[in-house]
């Protein structure tokens, strides 16, 4: 929405009034933060998200300096976004910090950080700000009208979009890796690697998984970026680019683990979910339905195309038993997670369970719901029937079983060399959906 000069003047007066009220209450310097946005549009979804990103940079820097604000006020209106911090901090030190933030990142060039003392005076910069377009002194360019408003607007929104896209990709990748680490650390898990043992996996341990998760951060980052870059294209085009990047990620994983396959399934499923995040606005990340529906759109037709005339183990299971495995789960938007794992996990947390224990129980509930190709590869349908029966027997007695009961199941599966590895990947997705729901650093 475009705003008028009169609206901007009124907003400035209101800002001064808020500053004066804070001075009367605290008698301390304050840091006033607004965005430098040229043109008549001072706020929209992109500007607001960028503002909160800038606000996060401020709080991170204050925490790094062990400085705690007395109060923090935020106003978001059509005339722009504003934040005010009251700080018991030497004004010149505060101004030096502000200048460092303004000059330290590309987004910082659009942050307007004023340090105001109780007398109402602003602490001035000792070095001039630079022009967004040519790098000369900004005041000189403004005075001479060296660049049009349209040029400044285009450059401004280019900087904003890049900053937001980069931060979204970093956040998505960080949470994806965190989810993988939560999954492997969840203990006990029947037949799987955890903090107590390696289950039925003699060629790997928890450190192998940690090395693999760390190696996959660039892949997850790229998946979010690919989703963002192709969000105006068809889901099929996004999927094709994700799959190409996923093949490279397998090599990165194997290099990090000396050839051990720790996360091949997660490269597929978690990569899809990260691609879905890229196609969605960040405000929808907290909506599991929106995220998983987007995954389903990306994976449409996958089973038919992948199993057409191939001779892979997955195709044999599909041909002989009609088992679609992780591809079928993806095409349906991971219903095992949506309908079983995630709701059970949330209920476990509501009952007071830790994320560890809630995750272990959620895993158990998904096992009977899924034809786990890892179990089938190791022992065939009879093994799947045994594992399903054992889990159902436990859950019938107590839908939230004790750690001791799960440990006994872990021993039984390990003795038979069985592992619900496919369900472990679904547990990682469950953790990621939960992490996406958590309040962001904002």
């Amino acid at each position: 929405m475009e705003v008028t000069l009169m609206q901007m003047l009124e907003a400035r007066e209101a800002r001064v009034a808020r500053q004066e009220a804070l001075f009367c209450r605290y008698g301390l310097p304050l840091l006033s933060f607004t965005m430098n946005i040229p043109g008549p549009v001072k706020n929209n979804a992109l500007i607001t998200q960028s503002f909160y990103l800038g606000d996060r940079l401020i709080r991170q820097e204050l925490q790094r300096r062990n400085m705690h604000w007395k109060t923090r006020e935020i106003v978001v209106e059509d005339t722009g976004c504003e934040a005010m911090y009251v700080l018991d901090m030497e004004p010149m030190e505060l101004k030096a910090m502000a200048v460092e933030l303004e000059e330290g990142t590309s987004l910082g060039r659009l942050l307007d950080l004023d340090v105001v003392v109780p007398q109402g005076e602003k602490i001035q910069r000792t070095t001039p700000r630079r022009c967004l377009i040519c790098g000369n002194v900004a005041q000189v360019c403004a005075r001479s009208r060296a660049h049009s408003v349209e040029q400044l607007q285009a450059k401004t929104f280019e900087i904003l979009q890049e900053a937001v896209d980069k931060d979204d990709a970093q956040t998505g990748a960080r949470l994806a890796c965190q989810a993988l680490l939560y999954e492997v650390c969840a203990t006990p898990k029947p037949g799987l690697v955890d903090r107590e043992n390696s289950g039925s996996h003699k060629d790997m341990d928890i450190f192998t998984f940690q090395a693999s998760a760390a190696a996959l951060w660039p892949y997850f980052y790229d998946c979010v970026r690919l989703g963002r870059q192709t969000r105006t294209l068809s889901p099929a085009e996004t999927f094709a680019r994700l799959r190409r990047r996923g093949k490279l990620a397998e090599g990165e994983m194997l290099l990090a683990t000396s050839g051990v396959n720790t996360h091949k399934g997660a490269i597929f499923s978690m990569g899809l979910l990260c691609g879905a995040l890229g196609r969605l606005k960040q405000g929808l990340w907290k909506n599991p339905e929106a995220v998983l529906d987007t995954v389903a759109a990306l994976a449409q037709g996958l089973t038919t195309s992948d199993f057409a005339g191939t001779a892979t183990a997955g195709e044999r299971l599909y041909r002989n038993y009609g088992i679609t495995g992780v591809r079928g789960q993806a095409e349906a938007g991971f219903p095992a997670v949506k309908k079983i794992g995630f709701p059970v996990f949330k209920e476990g947390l509501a009952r007071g369970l830790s994320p560890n224990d809630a995750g272990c129980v959620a895993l158990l509930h998904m096992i009977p719901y899924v034809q786990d190709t890892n179990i089938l590869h190791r022992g065939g349908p009879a093994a799947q029937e045994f594992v399903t029966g054992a889990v159902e027997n436990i859950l019938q007695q107590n839908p939230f079983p004790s750690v001791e009961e799960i440990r006994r199941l872990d021993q039984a599966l390990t003795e038979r060399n069985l592992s619900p590895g496919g369900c472990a990947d679904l547990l990682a997705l469950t953790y990621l959906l939960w992490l996406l729901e958590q309040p962001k650093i904002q």
Side-chain angles (χ1 to χ4, degrees):
M1 177 184 293
E2 294 188 0
V3 295
T4 65
L5 176 59
M6 183 59 67
Q7 287 176 297
M8 292 304 298
L9 292 174
E10 290 173 351
R12 186 177 301 172
E13 289 180 5
R15 181 161 62 248
V16 171
R18 285 192 292 272
Q19 291 174 356
E20 290 175 350
L22 291 172
F23 288 142
C24 289
R25 182 177 178 185
Y26 295 98
L28 293 170
L30 62 84
L31 180 67
S32 177
F33 165 41
T34 56
M35 300 288 290
N36 281 320
I37 307 294
V41 176
K42 300 298 182 183
N43 201 9
N44 57 26
L46 178 60
I47 294 171
T48 297
Q49 189 175 351
S50 302
F51 166 79
Y52 279 113
L53 176 54
D55 183 66
R56 192 175 83 208
L57 294 174
I58 293 170
R59 289 182 291 111
Q60 288 174 179
E61 185 61 21
L62 289 172
Q63 290 179 342
R64 187 181 72 83
R65 295 166 181 259
N66 198 31
M67 296 301 303
H68 304 282
W69 53 89
K70 299 295 183 181
T71 191
R72 167 175 165 260
E73 294 184 358
I74 287 182
V75 174
V76 177
E77 296 179 342
D78 290 340
T79 51
C81 304
E82 305 172 6
M84 291 186 193
Y85 287 79
V86 175
L87 295 150
D88 189 4
M89 190 172 177
E90 204 281 319
M92 294 306 296
E93 180 187 356
L94 183 55
K95 186 62 180 180
M97 184 199 84
V99 171
E100 186 176 331
L101 285 171
E102 289 174 341
E103 297 181 349
T105 65
S106 59
L107 180 63
R109 302 169 73 186
L110 300 176
L111 309 183
D112 191 1
L113 303 174
D114 289 331
V115 176
V116 190
V117 295
Q119 296 78 17
E121 297 178 356
K122 291 182 182 179
I123 304 298
Q124 300 299 319
R125 290 173 61 108
T126 58
T127 57
R129 298 198 74 152
R130 295 291 168 177
C131 173
L132 294 176
I133 296 176
C134 67
N136 291 330
V137 175
Q139 285 183 334
V140 173
C141 289
R143 218 177 291 126
S144 65
R145 298 178 183 261
H147 314 289
S148 68
V149 172
E150 291 75 19
Q151 287 176 310
L152 290 168
Q153 285 178 312
K155 185 62 177 179
T156 294
F157 284 98
E158 177 188 327
I159 292 172
L160 293 177
Q161 192 66 63
E162 175 58 25
V164 165
D165 288 349
K166 181 179 179 180
D167 185 66
D168 282 354
Q170 289 176 335
T171 300
R174 173 175 59 82
L175 295 181
C177 288
Q178 188 174 343
L180 291 183
L181 293 172
Y182 277 23
E183 182 277 313
V184 73
C185 287
T187 304
K189 296 194 302 294
L192 294 161
V193 174
D194 57 28
R195 286 176 284 120
E196 291 182 345
N197 57 59
S198 294
S200 301
H201 300 270
K202 308 309 178 188
D203 58 341
M204 61 185 79
D205 58 21
I206 193 169
F207 293 102
T208 320
F209 274 84
Q210 289 172 340
S212 178
L216 291 176
W217 188 96
Y219 165 64
F220 296 136
Y221 175 90
D222 287 348
C223 286
V224 181
R225 293 285 275 188
L226 287 170
R228 185 62 48 86
Q229 291 163 3
T230 60
R231 62 183 164 183
T232 59
L233 304 178
S234 69
E237 180 59 32
T238 299
F239 179 82
R241 298 191 193 188
L242 291 172
R243 173 159 274 190
R244 287 195 293 268
R245 182 62 182 88
K247 291 178 180 178
L248 296 176
E250 284 189 33
E252 293 162 359
M253 170 196 71
L254 294 171
L255 187 62
T257 62
S258 300
V260 177
N261 174 18
T262 46
H263 283 127
K264 185 174 181 178
I267 287 172
F268 172 78
S269 56
M270 195 72 81
L272 265 182
L273 203 148
C274 286
L277 295 180
R279 287 181 67 94
L280 292 169
K281 293 181 179 179
Q282 192 198 76
L284 290 172
W285 287 15
K286 295 178 182 292
N287 184 336
E289 291 277 345
V291 174
L292 294 177
D293 286 349
T294 304
V295 169
L298 292 174
Q300 279 309 297
L302 180 60
T303 300
T304 302
S305 62
D306 273 16
F307 291 155
T310 63
T312 64
E315 194 275 337
R316 286 193 296 272
L317 287 172
Y318 177 64
R319 186 178 62 243
N320 295 334
Y321 306 109
I323 294 169
T324 57
V326 69
R327 293 173 178 84
Q329 277 286 318
E331 281 185 303
F334 291 110
V337 176
K338 182 189 297 185
K339 298 178 181 179
I340 307 296
F342 193 57
V344 169
F345 179 81
K346 295 292 289 292
E347 184 179 348
L349 294 179
R351 287 170 173 249
L353 296 183
S354 67
N356 176 90
D357 293 353
C360 292
V361 172
L363 173 69
L364 285 190
H365 280 263
M366 286 189 285
I367 289 173
Y369 189 84
V370 175
Q371 292 289 312
D372 195 302
T373 54
N374 197 296
I375 294 174
L376 289 163
H377 285 321
R378 287 171 177 258
Q384 179 72 60
E385 185 177 349
F386 165 77
V387 175
T388 298
V391 172
E392 287 179 339
N393 183 55
I394 292 173
L395 296 179
Q396 285 170 3
Q397 298 178 49
N398 183 359
F400 288 86
S402 67
V403 169
E404 289 71 24
E405 289 176 289
I406 301 176
R407 280 202 181 98
R408 286 194 288 271
L409 180 62
D410 179 27
Q411 183 176 354
L413 265 63
T414 300
E415 289 174 352
R416 292 167 173 79
N417 194 36
L418 299 176
S419 165
C423 289
D425 294 335
L426 299 179
L427 176 58
L429 296 185
T430 299
Y431 274 123
L432 179 55
L433 291 177
W434 173 62
L435 291 169
L436 289 167
E437 281 192 338
Q438 305 312 299
K440 280 196 65 176
I441 304 175
Q442 223 183 62

